[in-house]
Amino acid sequence: MPQLNGASYPDRFSAPVPRRRIDTNRPKDGTPVPPTVAALRSMTMAEQRLPDRPRLHLFGGAVALFVVVLVSDAVTLTLGHHGGVMASIWSTNGIVVGVLLSAPRRDWPLLLAITTAALLAGHFLALGALPGRPLLALTVLIHLSEILIVAAIVHRYLPSITGEVRSYQRFGRIAVGAALVGCIVSTLLAGIAMQVAPPGLFAATPWDWFRAHLLGMVIVGMLTLVALRERERMLGVQGRRLRMLRDVLLLAVITVGVFSQTGYPLLFLVFAPLIFLVFQHRFPGLVIGLAIVTLVTNVATSLGEGPVILVQTLNPEGRTLIAQLFLGVLCLVALPVALALADRLRLSKDVAASEMQYRLLAEYSSDLIQRIAYDDSRRYVSPSVKEILGWSPEEFASQGVDLIHPDDYDHVLRQRARLRETGQPTMLRYRMRNRAGGFLWIEALEKLAPCPDHPGETEVVYTGRDITQRALAEQALADSEKRLRTITDNVPAYIAHVDTNERYTFVNAYISQVTGSEAPSNVGQTVEEVRGPAIYPVLKPHIDAVLQGAATTFEYEGSGNGSPRYFEATYLPAIAADGTTTGFYTLTTDITRIKLAERKLAFLAHHDALTGIANRHSFRESSQLAIQHAASTHQPLLLMMIDVDFFKHINDTYGHAAGDVALTEVANRLKANIRKTDLVARLGGDEFVVLCHDIEDVATAERLAQQITDAMQQPVLFGTTELKVTLSIGVALCRNVASMEALSQRADEAVYLAKEAGRACFRLVSEGL
């Protein structure tokens, strides 16, 4: 809490501190004088008090803790044994740690006793039918050891955690470090217990135990602590609760949508609304958002649902690990942002508090007043110099300009020379040495005024004040902003804020990966100027929609390094505290790899992996269209069924690699000897098929079949070996064919005729010509 001469002031200034008359300092003649520092100290200490620490109601709190721990323990264990693996996150211990840290130390024994009873009851409800019931008590003791270690470490280094937190960065480091120590100890104890426990009692390995407990301690412990600390503020600041509800529902809908499907890897979609929730609502937004994502992830993973099922080769343990990694990455991204924002808000309050202190000083004490001659000698120094710098006025006047910090000396003299040259008042910020040898930051206003002692001369009237606390707070705020910039610049996504005039006010460094330009050069420019005339028309409808208050997510195509690139963008409205729209936030990610993978999958789904020609699935789709077209136009269809002669002999004699070379060469020669409008496909093994349109007579069909037969006269080279590869071709030329199955049957009959004729030839059957 900020200090002024030993007096404490609250960190939230809802109104200026009221002025107060202190009659004990009034002389007998009635002339008012400023109160002394001691009187000011006594006044503020009596009138300003810190809020009491939250206390749990003895009975209601005990019942609530018992019920919550019992339900959490039983449900988590039941889900774990239902899925065959430990749940993704163990929430019970985090709940208890949050309650302990929010309660007075004297209440800990009672709370731990209630926790023990609830854990025993929860374990018995979930695992009572399993062998090894005596080990249930040992398991409860392991949980209690983890809870005590984490709570004791945090309380040791942050004894007033429910009061004013001076550094949220330090709070985060201590909390995470305590969670690591506690979870490591409990994991070692659990590993020993698992060695002696009967099968089925523990649905986990030590590594599973550690991951689940660490996530639960960080996420659920933080949720409980913040909920008990913030209380009604967890629902949002008064007047903004509906907006918070909207933002929470948006995150919940997106998260449920992501985990209700198993077709696409969409876990990244959760990041944007969660980060937005953190930016908008700070710690309540963080813990509520993480709680929602954790709940959905845990339940979906336990039930075998969600995007993690895409990796079909993973067993339930592997899917749980993927879910835990996802939750861990969420914490690594969102928690530092929330801590940096909290520190930034705290530092902003410090600056406001510092300014309030200076207003109090201006009312109850004098600033440092000087009259400075043309030769920089001091003609007058106010008595306040004693309190500010420790010098008496006479001692300070004799010091000259040597008290100015060497790094600021030239700057002060240049500004003073400019003042005397132009006559315009100047404001200085520099460091000045005090009597103790240290340096203080001084903010001084200098003006020219007529000298009362020397008519016709001018002198400098100097009014200065000590701003050391404010300067240090501003430096800390700048450091906090630098940390926040470092975090956003290292997120693999393009993050920006655009105002209502479509001008960038904030851009992270990743924009260079999207536009090729550096982030600072884009601030102040419009979206159209930065993204260019090709991309801007695609973005414009979504910009209009988000400025009307509608969040939107869409994909678009761009270019980079001469190749196409694909992006997914999420636009979220930026709403000020008074409800007005100040622009929107953008989160753009590069999904080029995903798109290319989708195209590759689509190609593999319709093409043979060995030869590159159409596969059976593609042929089936194309043949149905061909049958429908032929039926409507009464045109004949030509179907060639092709078998490679003695293909098994090639495989058995020269190996499967030779067979693959032979099949590839057959496909290449077939493509080279048919028309572009014809379809060639591999049905499987050594079976190929050619489907042709617009073949009106038998002679044309025979020429095409003979051309393919002749193309196989040249041997196929396999290294230095020449393979004799021939084809048996069955040609069916039919009009008004009822189905592709009927046409295929006629072609198969022709294949058998070709084989009976000695192979390496073709036979043709026709119908309806």
Side-chain angles (χ1 to χ4, degrees), residues 294-318:
T294 299
L295 177 62
V296 175
T297 303
N298 199 16
V299 173
T301 304
S302 299
L303 299 179
E305 299 292 338
V308 295
I309 309 302
L310 284 173
V311 187
Q312 299 180 356
T313 57
L314 289 179
N315 55 20
E317 291 84 349

Side-chain angles (χ1 to χ4, degrees), residues 140-176:
V140 172
L141 289 177
I142 295 174
H143 289 302
L144 290 176
S145 68
E146 176 182 311
I147 292 169
L148 275 173
I149 289 173
V150 177
I153 292 176
V154 175
H155 188 272
R156 168 66 177 80
Y157 292 99
L158 294 171
S160 59
I161 191 171
T162 56
E164 176 69 12
V165 178
R166 297 306 302 163
S167 173
Y168 285 94
Q169 301 285 337
R170 179 172 178 267
F171 164 71
R173 291 193 297 269
I174 292 174
V176 173

Side-chain angles (χ1 to χ4, degrees), residues 22-34:
I22 302 180
D23 295 335
T24 57
N25 293 315
R26 185 186 300 277
K28 293 181 178 180
D29 60 2
T31 304
V33 297

Side-chain angles (χ1 to χ4, degrees), residues 183-201:
C183 293
I184 289 174
V185 172
S186 71
T187 300
L188 293 176
L189 296 176
I192 297 173
M194 292 175 188
Q195 298 297 321
V196 300
L201 184 61

